[in-house]
Each structure stands twice: as structure tokens, then as C-alpha cells.
Amino acid sequence: MVRIRIPDPAARDDKYLATRERLVIMVRMHWAVLLPIFLQTLGSIVLAILLTILLNGLNVDSVIGALPWWFALFMILRMLWRVADWHFDHLMITDKRLLKVSGIFFRKVQTMPLEKVTDLTYNRDPMGRLLGYGEFIVESAGQDQALSKIQFLPRPDRLYLTMCDMMFGGAPAPSGSDD
């Protein structure tokens, strides 16, 4: 029996670390970021079903009757692409900086040195409290940074404490991947 091993995309992101940089924690964005696309896709399928029932009663041409299903297929493919994109999207916290790595074909790496962080705001709306995600607003000394707002962070309480420990001189948490 041949076993095919699919590599974890996070393992490939280690190449973005400097030689003396240590990974403290790595997380994938919370699955709740996908809720809107799931609901839109579900809505398109329900709409296709309703339009098919309506158009069958009107004896409409089969080409026109297939249009709702082509739209639903497009929405399903769009959803699959977003799920794949989410799978490759990671936030890495090292002992020196924040890195957000995203993209499937074209990788985008956004970084912010921890020493430049002047303020870290932590927000959780009611939906975030229910589903377990939060948002960080990171400010730096008079500069507009790429990582100013990081949404849909899983286990934000743990991440916030880790960030505070690192910024205010505490010891970092043990190294490891945390999906």
C-alpha cells in the first residue's frame, strides 16, 4: 500500500525565520473567518434549488434552467479556493517579531519587530467569545505597519499572554506549532 504524505504548509514557513530567531508559537487563523463564504455558498445552492423548481413549472429552456446551477458551482469552487487559502495562512510569533504568512501561489510575508510595538489592544466581540477567536490591534512608534490589525486569532487569551510576556520581559512559551 502506497502512503501519500501531504506536508503541512506551516512546516515550509520555517524558512522565513532568521538564523538566531526562535519560533515561540504558530497559529492558523480561526475557522470562523470562513463562515461568510460557507453561508454564501449555502445560499447559492438553496437559490439554485428554488429557481430550478420555479423554472420547471414555467417550462423554461434547459440552458436558462442550468444557469442557477452554474452559479452554484462557481460559488462552491470559490469556497474551496478560500478554504485552501485559509489552510496556508499562518501567524508566527518568534522571540523577535510577528510574521503573517499567506497565499497559495504567491506567498506574502508581513512582519513587525516586537521591539517596535508600543501598544497591543485585544478585542473580542460576542461572536468571538462564543466561537473562540479574537482580534489584536498592534501599534508601533509613529508608523503605519502591515500588521496593524490581526483578526480571527484562535485562543486569543493565550496569544495575548504570550505576547505580553515577550514584550515585557517574560519568558516565551515552549516552541511548537499550534493549529
Side-chain angles (χ1 to χ4, degrees):
M1 179 179 192
V2 176
R3 293 188 130 195
I4 298 174
R5 185 173 175 268
I6 299 172
D8 183 17
R12 290 183 279 150
D13 294 340
D14 288 344
K15 66 183 171 194
Y16 300 116
L17 301 179
T19 54
R20 297 182 194 259
E21 192 171 25
R22 187 170 67 90
L23 180 66
V24 176
I25 194 166
M26 179 172 14
V27 294
R28 179 177 293 132
M29 298 299 116
H30 194 275
W31 60 266
V33 74
L34 298 170
L35 277 178
I37 194 77
F38 282 136
L39 294 175
Q40 292 167 4
T41 303
L42 181 62
S44 71
I45 293 169
V46 169
L47 182 66
I49 292 169
L50 293 176
L51 285 174
T52 300
I53 292 169
L54 177 69
L55 294 175
N56 278 344
L58 299 175
N59 292 329
V60 177
D61 185 28
S62 63
V63 173
I64 294 173
L67 286 177
W69 290 105
W70 283 108
F71 178 71
L73 177 63
F74 168 77
M75 293 298 285
I76 291 168
L77 293 174
R78 178 177 165 250
M79 180 191 67
L80 292 174
W81 178 261
R82 293 275 176 94
V83 169
D85 192 39
W86 166 79
H87 186 69
F88 283 87
D89 195 6
H90 291 86
L91 177 73
M92 301 166 68
I93 301 173
T94 72
D95 56 346
K96 298 186 184 335
R97 61 188 171 143
L98 291 172
L99 291 99
K100 186 167 188 290
V101 182
S102 58
I104 296 175
F105 295 118
F106 299 101
R107 299 297 278 171
K108 179 179 180 180
V109 181
Q110 299 170 300
T111 65
M112 176 183 275
L114 288 178
E115 64 188 27
K116 300 266 185 185
V117 176
T118 58
D119 187 36
L120 178 64
T121 304
Y122 165 41
N123 296 323
R124 281 185 97 173
D125 59 11
M127 186 64 79
R129 291 176 71 189
L130 179 69
L131 297 177
Y133 66 85
E135 166 188 74
F136 286 175
I137 298 173
V138 183
E139 294 181 20
S140 63
Q143 297 177 1
D144 186 25
Q145 294 287 334
L147 289 175
S148 60
K149 192 175 202 179
I150 308 169
Q151 298 177 317
F152 294 101
L153 290 171
R155 293 173 295 284
D157 296 327
R158 180 176 162 202
L159 287 174
Y160 181 74
L161 291 175
T162 300
M163 289 287 297
C164 287
D165 280 347
M166 293 173 57
M167 290 184 334
F168 301 119
S175 177
S177 176
D178 190 11
D179 288 18

